[in-house]
Amino acid sequence: DPDAHPPTADLPQYDVLMKMTGEEGLGHKRVMAALTLTDLDNSIGSLVATMNTTGMLENSVIIVNSDNGGDPCGEHLVGDNHPLRGSKMTYFQGGLKVPGFIYSPNKAYIPHQARGTTYDGLMHHVDWVRTIYEGVVGRSLDDDGYDTSTLDSLNHWQAITADPDDPQFADSDVRDNIIFAL
């Protein structure tokens, strides 16, 4: 779907903000991006509230992350990765370093010492496969019969949830390189 990413005008705050910023220009595009993020935040909040009400939250891990840096492409896309260099489809941090978070109220999943910390390890999106299946679920893809001979995925869960003061995990890099194209 070519319109999968652009924000829509059916968000409740749209009319009020459009009167403040006008229909065209950078202000309008920034407002639309802000409205989309507000809607996403409200949706995640609703999901968490429902999971909490139904008792599912205690045994869940919620992972939210982006797929790439912003795309400052002409007048249509107004992404800004400042202060990072580069953008979407570049090999610089502006295209590769993205925000995300992991949440669980269950200390068995995220221990006390790991809460509120930052993980700076080099991680590719394919690494979520092993990280979730082996790290969170606690099962081995290989032992469960999956053919992983061509799977370039690494489990980062222990490094993500480690005590940042533990010398065993200080500056530990699960992955030391990513090859994008050969």
Side-chain angles (χ1 to χ4, degrees), residues 4 14 22 47 51 75 93:
Y14 177 81
L47 173 68
M51 290 175 73
E75 64 183 63
Q93 282 191 344

Side-chain angles (χ1 to χ4, degrees), residues 59-79:
N59 292 313
S60 298
V61 175
I62 297 172
I63 300 170
V64 178
N65 76 300
S66 182
D67 61 346
N68 51 252
D71 190 4
C73 178
E75 64 183 63
H76 301 291
L77 301 171
V78 292

Side-chain angles (χ1 to χ4, degrees), residues 23-174:
E23 291 294 325
E24 298 297 326
L26 183 62
H28 167 76
K29 291 173 183 170
R30 294 268 185 221
V31 166
M32 292 305 292
L35 284 170
T36 301
L37 289 174
T38 300
D39 195 48
L40 176 63
D41 185 52
N42 291 337
S43 296
I44 292 170
S46 177
L47 173 68
V48 169
T50 300
M51 290 175 73
N52 192 38
T53 301
T54 60
M56 293 175 60
L57 186 61
E58 182 61 31
N59 292 313
S60 298
V61 175
I62 297 172
I63 300 170
V64 178
N65 76 300
S66 182
D67 61 346
N68 51 252
D71 190 4
C73 178
E75 64 183 63
H76 301 291
L77 301 171
V78 292
D80 184 0
N81 302 308
H82 182 77
L84 302 177
R85 177 183 176 194
S87 61
K88 179 179 179 175
M89 297 192 202
T90 69
Y91 299 128
F92 299 112
Q93 282 191 344
L96 303 175
K97 190 171 187 173
V98 296
F101 68 87
I102 301 172
Y103 170 76
S104 177
N106 191 328
K107 303 228 181 335
Y109 290 120
I110 304 174
H112 176 73
Q113 70 272 9
R115 294 176 181 273
T117 62
T118 300
Y119 179 61
D120 290 323
L122 181 62
M123 184 174 186
H124 193 271
H125 66 269
V126 299
D127 292 333
W128 283 117
V129 173
R130 281 198 191 270
T131 299
I132 293 169
Y133 198 85
E134 295 178 356
V136 179
V137 177
R139 298 180 57 99
S140 166
L141 287 165
D142 297 308
D143 291 347
D144 282 354
Y146 291 98
D147 177 9
T148 60
S149 61
T150 61
L151 179 64
D152 181 21
S153 182
L154 300 174
N155 181 355
H156 292 253
W157 193 250
Q158 190 172 15
I160 290 170
T161 60
D163 182 345
D165 297 326
D166 185 340
Q168 177 183 354
F169 295 103
D171 299 321
S172 68
D173 288 324
V174 174

Side-chain angles (χ1 to χ4, degrees), residues 3-15:
D3 294 326
H5 284 357
T8 61
D10 61 353
L11 302 173
Q13 306 89 335
Y14 177 81
D15 291 333

